[in-house]
Amino acid sequence: RRVQLDFHKHYGDLFNHIVSTRVAFYGKVYGNGEEFTPDDLVKNVENGSKSPMLIGEFIDLEGKRYAMFVNNSTTESESFRITFLKGAKLYSWDWYGKEYEGGAYCIVGAENDSEGNLVHNLMLAPGQEAVYRIELPK
């Protein structure tokens, strides 16, 4: 119940207004799921121990695009490196559900890789998520 209340507090009714466009697994694929491959929204996902992650992509009626990253481990907190395209603008939500430009609340660092792509380092507890609205460069 606490996890559900926290999720609703962060994202409000966002998930009532977006539709899933892709679900992929990183590290370990479950069922007949799709293994993560880079696309125009998420360039790369890395984790030294190949810990499992679930990546969901979404779109709203205005064409805005979103990505959600979930630590799919049931026991271990993990750090993940998420790479977004150079020039992408990232938005997340504060504790009260207000959208702001910048990294998710679980970000532990941001940097640019050697090609200028934006890299966010996330620390996620078991089952914890990070949600971004992503504006791609034009």
Side-chain angles (χ1 to χ4, degrees):
R1 184 170 194 277
R2 184 186 65 78
V3 170
Q4 291 172 340
L5 289 172
D6 287 351
F7 185 87
H8 185 71
K9 192 171 196 177
H10 268 106
Y11 307 113
D13 292 325
L14 172 67
F15 282 83
N16 291 329
H17 305 288
I18 59 178
V19 293
S20 177
T21 57
R22 179 181 183 205
V23 176
F25 292 93
Y26 170 83
K28 182 176 181 180
V29 177
Y30 293 90
N32 292 323
E34 172 187 332
E35 184 174 2
F36 171 77
T37 54
D39 64 8
D40 65 331
L41 206 57
V42 181
K43 186 171 173 100
N44 198 21
V45 174
E46 295 176 86
N47 172 279
S49 61
K50 287 288 227 179
S51 295
M53 173 176 267
L54 180 65
I55 300 115
E57 296 181 5
F58 306 86
I59 193 166
D60 67 16
L61 290 174
E62 297 173 357
K64 294 177 183 173
R65 297 179 65 194
Y66 303 79
M68 180 168 70
F69 306 94
V70 181
N71 177 357
N72 217 17
S73 171
T74 59
T75 58
E76 302 296 324
S77 292
E78 295 291 345
S79 61
F80 295 92
R81 290 175 48 88
I82 312 298
T83 304
F84 302 95
L85 291 177
K86 179 180 180 178
K89 282 188 175 182
L90 304 177
Y91 299 85
S92 197
W93 289 261
D94 68 16
W95 180 249
Y96 302 101
K98 182 176 174 166
E99 186 183 77
Y100 63 90
E101 186 173 354
Y105 63 97
C106 55
I107 191 171
V108 292
E111 60 194 84
N112 290 324
D113 67 11
S114 61
E115 298 172 5
N117 297 305
L118 182 59
V119 178
H120 277 204
N121 299 299
L122 306 178
M123 176 58 80
L124 297 169
Q128 185 180 15
E129 84 297 322
V131 178
Y132 285 92
R133 181 170 65 83
I134 304 166
E135 286 184 7
L136 296 174
K138 297 180 186 197

